[in-house]
């Protein structure tokens, strides 16, 4: 399926049908069968969506370079499609008190979170757009930790979505996730001056704040971004989480949800607190290094491989015109 | 009060040296000096330095638009603070 208008429309229809019909059914089947079906769907998308598959593999090779052979990049790409399909099943297993999903997720490092909260200054769980991170955040509340997430819902800012599509994604994605958190997200839109103060209030109440630090900065936030080593290059990321930790005294713990080889079981790992004292950029680089190492170990879990635009904003791949120029230069040199 | 606040903002929050020296009426928002995080830093400073509590409802652009408006906000709180202590 090419990247024509018809192709994009068909992909959208396929996504809507899967989230509205397929995934809810799979989520009610025995986990072994439900996730197996999700993987089959992922394999089908991998074969069918040639343009997306090619873009994803190219981005993987562009960023990870020699770490991935072309064949390995294809394997990671296929895995990426499988994990994306499994994510929908995860969200649909959050019904009731999320028990259908909680039974499949082992939380490791709970003692680190307990120790952090015993300090009375809340805890910041720092993560990335890695695996089913949103489901992981929502699992924490039924596991005993009220959670407030700092983040914008993707359906609210993704360009090219109709109002109906935005309502659809709010219903099938955001609503089940938000219901379990029992706290509204703090959404850092431009001009919202109270974002950090609201996060600080959550921490003062000795609750948990979660945040993904790998989001591409909005244009209005570019001035605050810092360049840190990331995936073998330099990424432009927002270090606000470190400032928040420094101002409130809250500890920062890294959190990642890994999917196991059987696709149905997952492990939510919570690290010991990271040092956040001293220079903001240096402290933030430590957080970014943890994210980078985690993605490098399991690249298929990272969401942004599919979006060249986001990778460009992050500074991990050059804009298309620069890539064309680089190719032209290399051809000229070779000839 | 103006000097204390201006010194703190100049030393701790201004990232672009070209914005210094800071005028009392200079916009802290339009110049990008104050964003959500730097506002939190400023609020924590004000709470500690002037023994006040800044409520969420007070985190309005008009209260923190410039050094002058911050001082006006703090002065407006003086009667309430004195009443609370009295």
């Amino acid at each position: 399926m090419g990247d024509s208008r018809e192709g994009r429309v068909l992909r959208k229809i396929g996504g809507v049908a899967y989230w509205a019909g397929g995934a809810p059914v799979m989520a009610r089947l025995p986990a072994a069968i439900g996730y197996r079906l999700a993987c089959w769907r992922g394999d089908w998308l991998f074969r069918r969506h040639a343009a997306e598959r090619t873009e994803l593999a190219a981005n993987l090779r562009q960023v990870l370079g020699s770490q991935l052979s072309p064949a390995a990049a294809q394997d990671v790409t296929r895995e990426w499609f499988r994990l994306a399909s499994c994510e929908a099943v995860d969200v649909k297993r959050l019904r009731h008190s999320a028990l259908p999903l909680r039974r499949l997720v082992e939380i490791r490092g709970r003692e680190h979170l307990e120790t952090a909260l015993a300090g009375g200054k809340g805890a910041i769980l720092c993560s990335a757009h890695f695996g089913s991170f949103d489901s992981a955040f929502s699992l924490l509340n039924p596991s005993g930790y009220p959670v407030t997430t700092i983040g914008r819902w993707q359906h609210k800012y993704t360009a090219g979505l109709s109002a109906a599509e935005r309502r659809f994604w709010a219903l099938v994605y955001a609503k089940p996730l938000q219901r379990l958190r029992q706290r509204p997200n703090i959404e850092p839109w431009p001009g919202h001056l109270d974002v950090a103060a609201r996060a600080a209030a959550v921490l003062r109440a000795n609750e948990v704040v979660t945040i993904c630090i790998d989001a591409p900065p909005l244009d209005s936030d570019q001035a605050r971004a810092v360049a840190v080593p990331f995936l073998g290059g330099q990424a432009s990321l927002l270090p606000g989480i470190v400032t928040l930790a420094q101002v409130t005294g809250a500890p920062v713990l890294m959190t990642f949800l890994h999917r196991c080889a059987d696709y149905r079981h997952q492990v939510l790992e919570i690290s010991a607190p990271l040092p956040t004292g001293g220079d903001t950029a240096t402290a933030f680089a430590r957080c970014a290094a943890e994210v980078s190492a985690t993605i490098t170990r399991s690249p298929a879990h990272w969401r942004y491989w599919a979006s060249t635009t986001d990778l460009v904003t992050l500074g991990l791949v050059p804009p298309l015109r620069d890539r064309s120029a680089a190719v032209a230069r290399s051809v000229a040199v070779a000839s | 009060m103006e000097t204390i606040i201006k010194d703190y903002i100049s030393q701790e929050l201004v990232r672009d040296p070209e914005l210094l020296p800071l005028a009392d009426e200079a916009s802290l928002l339009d110049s990008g000096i104050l964003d959500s995080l730097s506002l939190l830093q400023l609020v924590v400073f004000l709470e500690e330095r002037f023994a006040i509590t800044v409520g969420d409802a007070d985190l309005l652009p008009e209260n923190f638009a410039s050094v002058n408006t911050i001082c006006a906000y703090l002065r407006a709180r003086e009667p309430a603070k004195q009443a609370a202590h009295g």
Side-chain angles (χ1 to χ4, degrees):
Chain A
M1 190 182 299
D3 204 29
S4 62
R5 185 175 181 278
E6 292 76 16
R8 285 196 299 274
V9 169
L10 283 174
R11 275 211 302 274
K12 279 187 179 183
I13 292 171
V16 166
Y18 181 61
W19 276 84
V25 171
M26 291 178 198
R28 288 179 182 276
L29 296 172
I33 298 172
Y35 284 100
R36 171 67 63 88
L37 290 173
C39 287
W40 284 349
R41 180 197 177 247
D43 288 347
W44 182 81
L45 292 178
F46 171 77
R47 287 192 302 271
R48 188 104 175 113
H49 292 179
E52 199 175 357
R53 180 184 71 219
T54 305
E55 179 181 357
L56 219 148
N59 286 336
L60 274 161
R61 295 269 294 153
Q62 177 109 21
V63 176
L64 297 179
S66 57
Q67 295 177 50
L68 278 184
S69 67
Q74 287 298 312
D75 289 345
V76 172
T77 304
R78 179 192 299 272
E79 183 76 356
W80 187 94
F81 280 99
R82 287 183 175 185
L83 298 185
S85 287
C86 288
E87 185 189 357
V89 181
D90 291 340
V91 173
K92 297 305 166 189
R93 291 182 76 93
L94 288 171
R95 62 186 182 271
H96 308 309
S97 58
L99 197 59
L101 186 61
R102 282 162 63 197
R103 281 197 296 249
L104 301 172
V105 176
E106 177 192 353
I107 301 179
R108 291 183 190 159
R110 192 187 282 260
E111 67 278 9
H112 297 309
L113 184 54
E114 295 286 355
T115 305
L117 292 173
K121 293 181 176 177
I124 299 170
L125 292 185
C126 183
S127 190
H129 292 78
F130 184 90
S132 291
F133 67 97
D134 256 332
S135 296
F137 294 165
S138 292
L139 275 181
L140 287 168
N141 188 43
S143 302
Y145 309 102
V147 160
T148 302
T149 296
I150 303 176
R152 292 174 286 268
W153 292 109
Q154 193 176 349
H155 65 269
K156 290 189 178 179
Y157 64 87
T158 300
L161 290 186
S162 66
E165 286 175 294
R166 291 185 201 283
R167 279 198 299 276
F168 172 78
W169 291 114
L171 186 69
V172 302
Y173 187 75
K175 190 178 175 186
L177 292 162
Q178 191 69 76
R179 179 183 65 82
L180 283 169
R181 292 177 196 172
Q182 297 188 345
R183 305 278 192 275
N185 277 19
I186 298 175
E187 301 192 50
W189 297 106
H192 283 207
L193 282 176
D194 60 348
V195 168
R198 287 171 59 199
V202 172
L203 295 168
R204 278 199 296 270
N206 202 28
E207 291 190 359
V208 175
V209 165
T210 64
I211 188 167
C212 293
I213 61 165
D214 60 338
L218 299 176
D219 288 346
S220 55
D221 289 331
Q222 285 290 355
R224 295 195 296 114
V226 296
V228 290
F230 196 77
L231 296 176
Q234 292 276 312
S236 183
L237 297 170
L238 294 170
I241 197 66
V242 169
T243 310
L244 183 64
Q246 290 172 340
V247 171
T248 61
V252 173
L253 299 82
M254 303 305 296
T255 307
F256 300 102
L257 183 64
H258 300 267
R259 194 173 296 280
C260 301
D262 65 6
Y263 291 97
R264 62 183 186 277
H265 290 99
Q266 298 183 78
V267 176
L268 179 61
E269 284 195 72
I270 302 173
S271 77
L274 259 58
T276 53
D279 173 54
T280 302
T282 307
F284 181 70
R286 281 192 284 270
C287 301
E290 293 287 330
V291 173
S292 177
T294 301
I295 294 170
T296 304
R297 280 195 296 273
S298 306
H301 282 68
W302 199 42
R303 179 170 292 185
Y304 287 120
W305 295 124
S307 171
T308 305
T309 306
D310 287 329
L311 292 174
V312 169
T313 306
L314 285 166
L316 291 172
V317 302
L320 197 55
R321 60 178 184 281
D322 293 354
R323 264 178 282 166
S324 303
V327 169
R329 274 197 303 276
S330 65
V331 168
V333 168
S335 60
Chain B
M1 184 186 286
E2 278 84 353
T3 308
I4 293 169
I5 294 169
K6 198 156 59 176
D7 285 352
Y8 176 79
I9 294 173
S10 300
Q11 289 164 21
E12 302 293 334
L13 304 182
V14 175
R15 290 184 292 263
D16 181 359
E18 290 189 6
L19 296 173
L20 298 174
L22 197 60
D24 289 352
E25 66 281 3
S27 172
L28 302 174
L29 302 173
D30 294 343
S31 60
I33 294 171
L34 275 193
D35 56 25
S36 164
L37 280 161
S38 49
L39 177 62
L40 174 63
Q41 290 173 276
L42 177 62
V43 165
V44 169
F45 169 75
L46 296 175
E47 288 184 337
E48 289 175 357
R49 182 68 180 76
F50 299 103
I52 58 164
T53 301
V54 179
D56 291 351
D58 292 340
L59 295 175
L60 302 170
E62 52 264 39
N63 288 338
F64 295 92
S66 67
V67 173
N68 279 343
T69 62
I70 295 169
C71 292
Y73 165 72
L74 292 176
R75 289 196 182 96
R77 293 189 51 122
E78 281 296 317
K81 189 176 154 190
Q82 285 169 6
H85 286 241

